[in-house]
Amino acid sequence: MRHTMAYGARGSSAVTAQRIERRDLRPSDVAIEVTYCGVCHSDLHALHDHEASGSDELLVPGHEFVGTVSAIGTEVVGFAVGDPVAVGNIVDSCGVCDMCRSEQQNFCREFPTTTYGGRDRVDGSATLGAYAHEYVADQRFVYRRPAHLNSAAVAPLMCAGITVWEPLSQRNVGPGTTVGVVGLGGLGHLAVKLARARGASVTVFTTSPSKANDARTLGADDVIVSTDEDAQSRARRRYDLIIDTIAVEHPLKPYLDALSLDGALCVVGYLGEVKLDILSVLIGRKSLTSAGSGGRLYTQELLDFCGENDIVADVEVLPSSQVNTALDRLARNDVRYRFVIDLSDLG
Ligand SMILES: NC(=O)c1ccc[n+]([C@@H]2O[C@H](COP(=O)([O-])OP(=O)(O)OC[C@H]3O[C@@H](n4cnc5c(N)ncnc54)[C@H](OP(=O)(O)O)[C@@H]3O)[C@@H](O)[C@H]2O)c1
Ligand SMILES: [Zn+2]
Ligand SMILES: [Zn+2]
């Protein structure tokens, strides 16, 4: 076993620094010295669920990170020590099911192995995330990142970015398409940047009037403060795709009503049960869909697109010792627009 320092929780929602085990390298494994890891709202959900469950199993969050290759297994091809790499929230899948064969490993029929909170497919151990100095992953889920981009700001592309990229890509969003983005946080601000870079016209729906100027700077053509009913009624302009990133349960009807014929509402933020009047979908032959993470091909496609178009997240970088501050501020919607923790200070 190898050991590394990490921030983890046991039965609490706050994390503390501790030594954890990493597996010895298998032939196709890559060891990565983690430099930066994004703080995703899913980390917050996971920590709160963990505390509520009363579990004493160790939870180490962190599933969007960058670093450099520090060691490779005997059968690794294409990666060498020192290479700049990035990893997202999937680190393994069965590789043979129809989903995996269609490059949608994120929908693997055996459920993909998540970067933390999952089970290793080989030895059944719990996966521990990248709020850590080192991570070990199979080479199939390690990606080359554009080295000319600010690496701290690349980290959020690996969860927040790819989660909104797949719906944009799958719906062929481009010039002439109108896109709505609901919630201007980690996922939302990247959805604005990416939709805009693809040539779409973008409207942001936000509950925070103070974010309106930022939304325009990020590339939005219009901003609707969703708590203002008059403003929300302007949303009757018709959108081809609305990506909804709100982290809590909320009514979907206003956003379904804002869609064009055959438009789609892609809910990626709140992943629980919803109440829905099917008539809202029937009128206009609309679709209600969702997305999560991405397949290997599309993840590399996103990184290449961001490299070509100089797209990165807007980040606030904090030393790893302030990770609990980042989590607390994220819970209060006090982030512009993604916290990234610097793990190079963890020995
Ligand atoms: N599908 C997936 O695979 C996937 C991947 C990553 C994350 N997620 C989920 O996506 C959600 C967003 O993640 P994130 O990291 O982008 O979080 P975030 O940075 O906190 O952004 C969420 C945004 O939602 C809006 N919001 C928050 N609370 C709200 C409320 N009570 N009512 C209305 N709007 C509210 C806020 O935007 P405004 O201030 O602009 O209103 C906030 O900035 C989380 O639930 C996360 O778990 C899903
Ligand atoms: Zn995430
Ligand atoms: Zn599979």
Side-chain angles (χ1 to χ4, degrees), residues 82-161:
D83 281 356
V85 292
V87 176
N89 55 8
I90 293 176
V91 287
D92 205 0
S93 73
C94 85
V96 293
C97 74
D98 56 333
M99 294 291 184
C100 287
R101 283 205 304 258
S102 325
E103 290 293 343
Q104 296 286 182
Q105 293 85 358
N106 45 334
F107 307 136
C108 173
R109 299 282 180 191
E110 294 190 6
F111 203 77
T113 306
T114 49
T115 306
Y116 69 84
R119 292 271 157 209
D120 181 74
R121 292 179 57 81
V122 177
D123 63 19
S125 61
T127 55
L128 300 174
Y131 288 6
H133 184 64
E134 182 186 69
Y135 197 93
V136 174
D138 188 280
Q139 61 178 340
R140 290 184 306 129
F141 291 88
V142 178
Y143 300 89
R144 313 197 150 275
R145 62 179 161 89
H148 68 281
L149 297 178
N150 171 352
S151 62
V154 166
L157 299 176
M158 300 307 295
C159 172

Side-chain angles (χ1 to χ4, degrees), residues 40 42 63 159:
C40 179
S42 301
H63 64 197
C159 172

Side-chain angles (χ1 to χ4, degrees), residues 41-42 45 184 186-187 206-208 211 245 248 268-269 291-292 333 338:
H41 206 112
S42 301
H45 290 317
L184 198 62
L187 270 61
T206 178
T207 59
S208 309
K211 292 182 183 173
T245 76
V248 295
V268 294
N333 196 8
R338 194 62 146 189

